[in-house]
Amino acid sequence: MPVRPSLRACAPLLLLAVAGCTLGSSTGTSSQPRGTPVPTATAVGTPLGLATAIQIGPEGGALAADDGAWTLTVPAGAVAAATTFSATPLTSHAPGALTQTVRLEADQPLAGPVKVTFKGLGSSYPSGVALKSLAIRYQDARGFWVAPDGLSYDAAADTVTATTPHLSDWALVLGQTPDLQGTFTLTQTVGVPFTASGTGALYAWTSATEPTYWMTGTVTLDADTLTAGSATCTPDARAHDLELSVAEVHGADFRWGMNARWALTCTDPSLSQDLATLFDTLQINLTSCGGSYVGTQVNGDSFIQGQYTKTCGTGGVVSATWDFRACWDGLSCQPSDPCRTGTTTCNGGIGTCNPTGNAADGTPCGTSGACVAGACVGG
């Protein structure tokens, strides 16, 4: 079952220079207005474990995560006969994902809508984030993360629910559109050495006095196994979500960090441990190690790029590079016409989705139509 991230209250890893949890009450405004990023498709998530399944009949029922992170509710009449519903945890590529993605499937067609419910952040809402800051997205057949037609919120239960006529891959996300998205790399030779890469989404916190962002993302180890001396270590999963945190542009520097953790099982039992990312640009981790930015940073309205390395002498190094942008040229995107495909072009960080071809015949469009030769038929 998906494991919910343990969000740190008020995201202390990166608030630092902004006093405590006071960003939400600041009277300043962001100096980084941007256009709306063009929607782009992402890869499909990778299974993180075996599917769980339950049979539900016309009388209705429910399938839920062991930890209560999500629930699929099948009302009476939503299926016409006994139907096997299954759920598979996946790595999440949804922009702004706060949990792993869950793939929900059924072996019979639905006769009516079902409900997908995600639990909120409980006691871990940072300052400036509330239940209604959250949303649910599903990934369609083309890889785009789509908002369901309607969401409902239950503050007492701390849940957000989507009512849907279909099943797909679903994720709990921050509800606004990311201002910047991109990639990062990580090299860590302190302790058990490893390299990893990841994706991140940054959401502007517009009440801050400096350009400040909520950040979510996923970090993935570059190998299935790690080597420490003569021992081999196997992580519980290659990919883990970054905990929700805060990043900021302070003067000439982009200040941020990673906070993800893997459970290792090693051939040398003494090395079996939790493996944590130790990268940050403010010496919160590895306080005795020197750190500095490498080369020239770019911290503009449309690009945040750079590299930072911590050196711990014979103890190893921790180094990361990052490239977050408001827009990426040449990405696949979805034009306003669902029966067309497109690619992005960028101008000053504002993206335009240019139609380049026809969507595959049979692509859903309208309320009940399908695309044929680039036109919506029956919708």
Side-chain angles (χ1 to χ4, degrees), residues 25-379:
S25 61
S26 171
T27 57
T29 58
S30 171
S31 61
Q32 299 199 141
R34 294 188 179 87
T36 301
V38 175
T40 55
T42 75
V44 176
T46 302
L48 293 173
L50 298 176
T52 58
I54 188 173
Q55 191 172 81
I56 298 175
E59 71 280 3
L63 174 63
D66 290 341
D67 61 0
W70 57 263
T71 301
L72 170 65
T73 302
V74 182
V79 291
T83 301
T84 299
F85 288 84
S86 62
T88 306
L90 309 173
T91 56
S92 186
H93 300 293
L98 296 170
T99 64
Q100 294 169 354
T101 293
V102 58
R103 175 170 296 158
L104 300 173
E105 299 175 290
D107 68 351
Q108 301 288 334
L110 298 179
V114 297
K115 295 182 177 181
V116 179
T117 299
F118 281 88
K119 194 75 173 173
L121 306 184
S123 61
S124 298
Y125 286 99
S127 175
V129 176
L131 178 63
K132 287 199 173 181
S133 304
L134 312 184
I136 295 174
R137 298 287 184 265
Y138 68 88
Q139 191 170 29
D140 69 12
R142 292 164 292 180
F144 293 96
W145 289 92
V146 181
D149 288 339
L151 297 177
S152 60
Y153 296 84
D154 185 331
D158 189 35
T159 58
V160 54
T161 297
T163 300
T164 175
H166 64 85
L167 297 175
S168 183
D169 296 354
W170 297 79
L172 180 70
V173 302
L174 283 174
Q176 68 193 84
T177 301
D179 291 81
L180 297 166
Q181 299 180 71
T183 60
F184 59 83
T185 65
L186 172 64
T187 298
Q188 186 166 307
T189 62
V190 176
V192 176
F194 69 92
T195 58
S197 58
T199 59
L202 278 64
Y203 299 78
W205 190 344
T206 56
S207 62
T209 55
E210 297 181 291
T212 305
Y213 304 88
W214 291 111
M215 181 175 181
T216 70
T218 301
V219 58
T220 303
L221 296 172
D222 289 344
D224 292 326
T225 58
L226 308 177
T227 301
S230 60
T232 299
C233 299
T234 303
D236 55 338
R238 282 185 62 183
H240 273 293
D241 295 330
L242 299 178
E243 296 177 11
L244 181 64
S245 61
V246 174
E248 65 175 4
V249 177
H250 179 71
D253 296 334
F254 180 57
R255 309 206 296 192
W256 72 294
M258 302 176 199
N259 41 7
R261 188 179 301 270
W262 296 265
L264 294 184
T265 302
C266 302
T267 53
D268 178 352
S270 67
L271 294 176
S272 296
Q273 58 182 285
D274 280 352
L275 175 68
T277 55
L278 299 175
F279 175 79
D280 69 82
T281 63
L282 282 158
Q283 302 299 99
I284 295 174
N285 295 304
L286 305 176
T287 56
S288 63
C289 303
S292 61
Y293 292 90
V294 179
T296 302
Q297 295 185 70
V298 178
N299 294 320
D301 287 351
S302 303
F303 299 88
I304 292 181
Q305 301 163 322
Q307 180 177 352
Y308 187 93
T309 297
K310 286 187 174 183
T311 303
C312 301
T314 57
V317 299
V318 176
S319 182
T321 64
W322 55 91
D323 185 354
F324 303 120
R325 307 185 190 185
C327 181
W328 294 74
D329 278 312
L331 289 181
S332 170
C333 62
Q334 180 57 58
S336 57
D337 183 345
C339 291
R340 298 280 285 165
T341 59
T343 57
T344 58
T345 57
C346 304
N347 182 10
I350 298 176
T352 301
C353 187
N354 301 299
T356 55
N358 294 337
D361 287 352
T363 298
C365 61
T367 56
S368 59
C371 297
V372 178
C376 187
V377 177

